[in-house]
Amino acid sequence: MSSSTAKSAKDTNNKPSAVVADYNKFDNPKTKEYEFFGPLGALGVITGCSTIVFLWYFGCNESTGCNLPLTKLQWAQIGQGLKQTLLTFSTENIAFDSTVFGYYVCWFLWFAVLWYIAPGKVVKGVVLRNGQQLDYNLNGFSSMLITVVVGLGIYYQQGIAPFIWIADHYLQFVMSSLIFATGLALFVYLYSFRSTTTVSDVKVMLALGGNSENILYDFFIGRELNPRIFGGTFDIKYFCELRPGILGWALLNICFAIKQYDQIGYVTNSMWLAIIPQIVYCIDTLWFDDAVLTTMDIVTDGFGWMLAFGDLCWVPSMYCLQARFLSFHPVVHSSMFTWFVAILGFIGFMTFRLSNSEKNAFRRDPNQPSVRHLQYITTESGSKLLVSGWWGMARHINYTGDWFFGLAQCLATGFETPMTYFFAAYFLVLLLHRNSRDEHKCRHKYKKDWDVYCERVPYLFIPFII
Ligand code: NDP
């Protein structure tokens, strides 16, 4: 078949040529403003975050304990561990294990297969800057259910041993996910240099923030907005955002609870306090997977090292810190403290969930019954901004809820070490930084309408306080 025949056949199979031509009417302007302090900052985040996951392992484990490293001996132990980790492919390396890496790849591929076969629905994403709306395969929840059934089958066949094995190979799984995420980021960076998408000859859409032409920076921040492979059927960013990492985090939590049970014969109330909310959060994320389609990660950011690492390595490895700590350091709380933490977590979670759902429903269809009573302002950009309901209380009340929810899980570990409060501290920095990125984006998008919105909704995080 000649190339012109192939092209017209493709156009006939997908979209009429006229529509395809319209979708090609967009620019990929050069990124002029850096975030994260540019290429040097990107290098700092890459090395810093990769080191932190190992630092927290060697500074907080069964043999070294989990105290703030204040003595020379503690730092020497951590230094020794890091050295053995950095020797990745040498025989002395303790963090890389080819069997574990193989299992990690299987875990990723398992969800890739489920992406195609698990039941679900296809929904449209937000309108892109060329007017196109991509289809998204929403079957994360059923993928999770199928995985749970397989997990129960493994438990029925082999008991708790495989789960304890996973907990015992935490370090090697972290290394596997880091290598895999970095490889994936490299792939999508190189892949972004093709000229058109495979699905309909539309030229590749780059993220507005990821086209600086600095290799390191674009590799880090994400060059292509929506990298898709296999004829456009497999959306790498959306897949990584919700499946292997989120469910890896839930699985690690379960494995650490089982490990605690294996060691002391029961699961402490502190462990339940830490893992139940986190597992609910994972299930909730998959149940409301369409809500992810309007988040900054999907709408604004390209897919590069930052998201690949965040989704695949950082989330599962760092977010299960509380359960990992409690697996070797069981803590039992009074029932009053347990209730306090549970209620704090519940309020945080509901604030997070209801506010995100409200915005998502409004963005999808402002006339639907659950949101049509809400007040909004119409902006010159054509987009509407809510000024009542959750979004009338504070401009990022969803962040506030999410942070308190995370704080409650840190409180579940008690007050013996500040190391387990890493999540609350890190998440505060992340959300403050994210807030400034989002304010910057909205100010740019809405211009003077954003000032009007800020006057109507003056508080950022907590009504009447800040
Ligand atoms: P948001 O979901 O808050 O999305 C911000 C966007 O919403 C804005 O850019 C704007 O986009 C739109 N918006 C802002 N104000 C209004 C309004 N009044 N009415 C209607 N639309 C409005 O941001 P994120 O994507 O950063 O976060 C989503 C959730 O994910 C949060 O709850 C956050 O806590 C959580 N999160 C969790 C992380 C974790 O590691 N656990 C990491 C990052 C986020 P536009 O107008 O262009 O539509």
Side-chain angles (χ1 to χ4, degrees):
M1 201 189 278
S2 74
S3 65
S4 63
T5 324
K7 185 174 181 302
S8 68
K10 208 181 212 182
D11 291 351
T12 318
N13 288 340
N14 293 292
K15 292 183 179 66
S17 304
V19 176
V20 171
D22 278 346
Y23 287 160
N24 270 321
K25 277 191 192 158
F26 71 95
D27 291 326
N28 281 321
K30 191 174 168 193
T31 305
K32 294 206 181 89
E33 272 179 53
Y34 282 134
E35 295 181 76
F36 297 93
F37 304 107
L40 269 183
L43 186 65
V45 176
I46 293 173
T47 44
C49 289
S50 309
T51 309
I52 284 174
V53 285
F54 296 111
L55 201 63
W56 248 260
Y57 173 76
F58 291 111
C60 186
N61 67 45
E62 206 159 353
S63 54
T64 60
C66 199
N67 300 316
L68 204 58
L70 297 173
T71 66
K72 253 181 153 177
L73 178 70
Q74 284 166 314
W75 276 110
Q77 282 174 324
I78 292 173
Q80 177 64 14
L82 284 178
K83 198 174 136 203
Q84 286 177 301
T85 301
L86 288 173
L87 301 167
T88 302
F89 292 106
S90 90
T91 47
E92 279 176 71
N93 177 267
I94 52 166
F96 182 76
D97 181 315
S98 53
T99 309
V100 174
F101 187 75
Y103 277 118
Y104 183 79
V105 174
C106 289
W107 173 256
F108 192 93
L109 292 179
W110 163 253
F111 288 109
V113 170
L114 289 176
W115 168 277
Y116 284 105
I117 60 171
K121 59 180 178 190
V122 174
V123 304
K124 296 255 177 241
V126 297
V127 181
L128 300 173
R129 63 180 194 272
N130 61 351
Q132 197 180 13
Q133 275 182 290
L134 297 175
D135 287 334
Y136 286 89
N137 208 8
L138 303 192
N139 63 1
F141 192 77
S142 61
S143 300
M144 179 196 72
L145 290 182
I146 296 169
T147 309
V148 169
V149 171
V150 172
L152 288 173
I154 292 172
Y155 169 71
Y156 182 73
Q157 279 264 314
Q158 300 180 36
I160 59 174
F163 301 95
I164 292 180
W165 185 86
I166 292 173
D168 289 342
H169 288 82
Y170 165 84
L171 173 64
Q172 292 75 20
F173 274 108
V174 173
M175 179 54 102
S176 300
S177 63
L178 174 62
I179 293 172
F180 193 91
T182 306
L184 186 63
L186 201 57
F187 167 74
V188 289
Y189 176 73
L190 296 174
Y191 185 61
S192 71
F193 285 95
R194 74 204 186 284
S195 55
T196 56
T197 60
T198 47
V199 66
S200 53
D201 275 352
V202 175
K203 76 179 179 196
V204 169
M205 184 178 287
L206 304 183
L208 290 175
N211 190 23
S212 72
E213 293 174 17
N214 178 291
I215 297 174
L216 176 65
Y217 183 79
D218 292 349
F219 161 79
F220 165 76
I221 204 89
R223 194 166 180 269
E224 186 173 350
L225 186 61
N226 299 298
R228 291 186 161 206
I229 50 175
F230 304 136
T233 57
F234 191 83
D235 188 295
I236 300 177
K237 179 164 72 168
Y238 180 70
F239 174 81
C240 288
E241 192 83 1
L242 287 187
R243 289 166 174 80
I246 289 278
L247 288 169
W249 169 26
L251 176 65
L252 281 170
N253 271 338
I254 292 167
C255 292
F256 286 122
I258 291 175
K259 188 164 164 98
Q260 187 193 62
Y261 173 83
D262 187 50
Q263 284 179 347
I264 62 172
Y266 68 102
V267 177
T268 58
N269 57 6
S270 55
M271 180 65 95
W272 290 122
L273 263 187
I275 70 164
I276 291 177
Q278 294 191 0
I279 291 172
V280 167
Y281 188 91
C282 296
I283 296 172
D284 168 274
T285 307
L286 291 168
W287 180 257
F288 292 101
D289 49 1
D290 62 334
V292 174
L293 297 179
T294 56
T295 62
M296 214 164 138
D297 289 2
I298 298 290
V299 176
T300 315
D301 291 338
F303 187 76
W305 190 88
M306 181 174 77
L307 280 183
F309 169 80
D311 293 342
L312 301 178
C313 179
W314 184 265
V315 166
S317 63
M318 292 306 287
Y319 288 19
C320 71
L321 173 64
Q322 297 90 350
R324 192 166 69 74
F325 168 75
L326 293 167
S327 74
F328 63 82
H329 190 100
V331 177
V332 177
H333 296 305
S334 68
S335 47
M336 206 160 113
F337 184 76
T338 306
W339 275 109
F340 166 73
V341 173
I343 291 169
L344 179 72
F346 182 74
I347 293 173
F349 178 75
M350 292 312 284
T351 306
F352 156 83
R353 167 47 47 225
L354 296 175
S355 56
N356 280 325
S357 292
E358 186 178 79
K359 186 195 63 174
N360 191 47
F362 182 75
R363 275 282 170 263
R364 292 202 158 276
D365 176 9
N367 294 319
Q368 62 180 285
S370 65
V371 289
R372 71 171 163 230
H373 62 285
L374 295 171
Q375 294 168 25
Y376 56 81
I377 55 171
T378 306
T379 68
E380 273 180 20
S381 75
S383 222
K384 295 167 176 156
L385 287 169
L386 285 164
V387 290
S388 72
W390 287 101
W391 296 84
M393 290 188 213
R395 300 202 292 280
H396 258 135
I397 197 138
N398 55 343
Y399 288 180
T400 311
D402 209 356
W403 187 77
F404 276 103
F405 181 61
L407 175 68
Q409 288 139 37
C410 296
L411 286 168
T413 60
F415 300 102
E416 286 177 45
T417 171
M419 295 278 281
T420 53
Y421 282 77
F422 172 80
F423 181 78
Y426 141 81
F427 205 38
L428 187 65
V429 174
L430 179 139
L431 292 178
L432 288 176
H433 179 245
R434 219 175 157 86
N435 170 64
S436 67
R437 288 181 77 203
D438 196 50
E439 288 270 321
H440 182 264
K441 175 210 127 178
C442 290
R443 195 162 288 284
H444 189 258
K445 177 174 175 182
Y446 294 113
K447 302 191 171 64
K448 62 180 177 15
D449 292 321
W450 189 249
D451 294 325
V452 174
Y453 172 61
C454 291
E455 260 173 47
R456 290 283 298 266
V457 186
Y459 299 103
L460 253 182
F461 300 115
I462 304 177
F464 307 110
I465 299 181
I466 181 172

